Every structure is written in C-alpha cells, then in structure tokens.
C-alpha cells in the first residue's frame, strides 16, 4: 500500500476491473504478513495492479469462496472502491443537477440503472434508490460541484461539504 512497507498477501481473486485507466483485482484476502492487514483477512479487498510487485500461484493456501454476485454490486457502483463487501454501503442518493450538465450525466451515466428524473426549469432532480457509496462517487460529485448538489442522504452531503471546505481552505 502507498506509504507502508512492502508486504506479502495471499489472495483468492474474484474479478479484474478497470476504472479511470487503473486496473485492480477484487479478491478475498486469505493471509497476510502485514499486521495492519490482519483485520481484512477473509474479507474482500481491492488491490491495484500498479502496487503489485510479484505474483505467484500457491497451492498450499486454502481458497476462500465468496457467496455473492460481484457484478450486481458493481452495476450499482461508481468505481470499484466498495469498502466493506460483506456489508455493502448502499444509499439512496438524490442529486440536484444543473440542466446545463444533465446531458453529460445522461450520456455518461453514474451507474447502469437509470435514475428517477424530475425535470424543473433550471435543474433536474435525479434519484438513485440504490447506489453504492464509493470513494469514486464522491470524487465525481466533488469534481462537478458547481453543477451537482447532493440533497440526500444528509451524511453524504455533509461529507462532500466538508471535503469542499478543505479544498477552499487550501486556497486561502
């Protein structure tokens, strides 16, 4: 991991994914020699290819199987950084989007499933009844903060506001 010592992890790979020109592997961590990773053993993790130094097939480590559907989670996710795959952080997300920007969202959707739309004169309300809260989703919203406002959930809205305030503080 960035800023940490090199470690040896034994994983059971589940899926290779690409997001924003970065490839990663979603896998169950079977074993690690890094004490900081021990709490992640037997859980699904996201490993970026650019931080993998070597790969070796091991037959002496038991494979942990995942009961679930990675693709159905990713279909409701903007980016692969799901966090806790055993307790998927689904939220109901309501966005107020400038009508100058709405066609961008329609041609490059946040997730595959189309949101409920409520068109007003200057903006459109988009409601995603079930979407995974990810780092990438928050980054996307922050990057277009002049065109998108989070209306719900309040905790996600406050998180975006706090991040934007930190950004403003960097420039004062």
């Amino acid at each position: 991991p960035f800023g940490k010592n090199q470690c040896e992890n034994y994983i059971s790979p589940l899926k290779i994914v690409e997001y924003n020109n970065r490839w990663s592997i979603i896998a169950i961590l079977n074993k690690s020699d890094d004490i900081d990773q021990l709490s992640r053993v037997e859980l699904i993790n996201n490993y970026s290819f650019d931080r993998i130094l070597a790969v070796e097939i091991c037959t002496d480590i038991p494979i942990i199987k995942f009961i679930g559907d990675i693709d159905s989670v990713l279909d409701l996710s903007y980016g692969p950084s799901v966090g806790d795959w055993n307790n998927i952080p689904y939220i109901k997300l309501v966005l107020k989007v400038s009508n100058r920007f709405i066609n961008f969202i329609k041609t490059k959707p946040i997730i595959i499933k189309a949101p409920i739309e409520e068109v007003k004169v200057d903006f459109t309300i988009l409601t995603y009844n079930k979407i995974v809260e990810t780092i990438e989703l928050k980054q996307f919203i922050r990057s277009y903060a002049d065109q998108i406002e989070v209306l719900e959930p309040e905790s996600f809205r406050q998180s975006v506001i706090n991040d934007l305030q930190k950004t403003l503080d960097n420039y004062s």
Side-chain angles (χ1 to χ4, degrees):
F2 289 126
K4 295 186 178 183
N5 292 329
Q6 186 175 320
C7 64
E8 199 167 284
N9 290 329
Y10 297 84
I11 63 172
S12 294
L14 300 170
K15 187 165 190 78
I16 293 173
V17 295
E18 181 271 335
Y19 170 77
N20 203 19
N21 294 321
R22 176 173 253 168
W23 289 86
S24 59
I25 186 164
I26 297 171
I28 297 175
L29 178 61
N30 297 326
K31 179 181 166 185
S32 180
D33 68 356
D34 181 358
I35 194 158
D36 293 333
Q37 294 288 314
L38 295 181
S39 65
R40 302 293 307 155
V41 170
E42 296 188 6
L43 298 178
I44 296 177
N45 296 271
N46 192 342
Y47 299 96
S48 183
F49 278 10
D50 63 335
R51 286 179 261 153
I52 296 173
L53 301 177
V55 175
E56 181 182 330
I57 296 175
C58 300
T59 57
D60 59 336
I61 303 291
I63 294 174
I64 299 171
K65 301 217 184 273
F66 172 68
I67 310 293
D69 184 1
I70 298 285
D71 289 330
S72 66
V73 174
L74 292 174
D75 284 349
L76 295 173
S77 172
Y78 187 83
S81 299
V82 171
D84 186 352
W85 283 84
N86 293 339
N87 186 23
I88 307 294
Y90 292 111
I91 58 173
K92 176 183 177 183
L93 180 65
V94 181
L95 302 175
K96 179 180 173 183
V97 180
S98 162
N99 283 340
R100 293 185 316 270
F101 190 67
I102 196 67
N103 287 329
F104 179 81
I105 300 263
K106 288 180 179 180
T107 58
K108 190 173 173 26
I110 292 174
I111 59 172
I112 292 172
K113 188 174 181 182
I116 298 167
E117 291 184 33
E118 185 182 342
V119 180
K120 305 287 185 177
V121 174
D122 296 326
F123 59 88
T124 300
I125 303 293
L126 300 178
T127 301
Y128 300 88
N129 283 317
K130 188 176 183 182
I131 189 170
V132 181
E133 184 177 340
T134 62
I135 294 165
E136 295 90 354
L137 176 62
K138 195 160 74 160
Q139 289 171 337
F140 173 79
I141 291 169
R142 282 193 324 244
S143 69
Y144 295 106
D146 62 329
Q147 302 293 320
I148 300 174
E149 178 185 353
V150 175
L151 300 179
E152 292 179 39
E154 184 61 28
S155 59
F156 192 70
R157 176 184 170 85
Q158 282 305 313
S159 180
V160 171
I161 289 170
N162 292 341
D163 289 349
L164 292 171
Q165 186 59 55
K166 289 176 191 171
T167 301
L168 286 173
D169 292 346
N170 285 341
Y171 289 88
S172 55

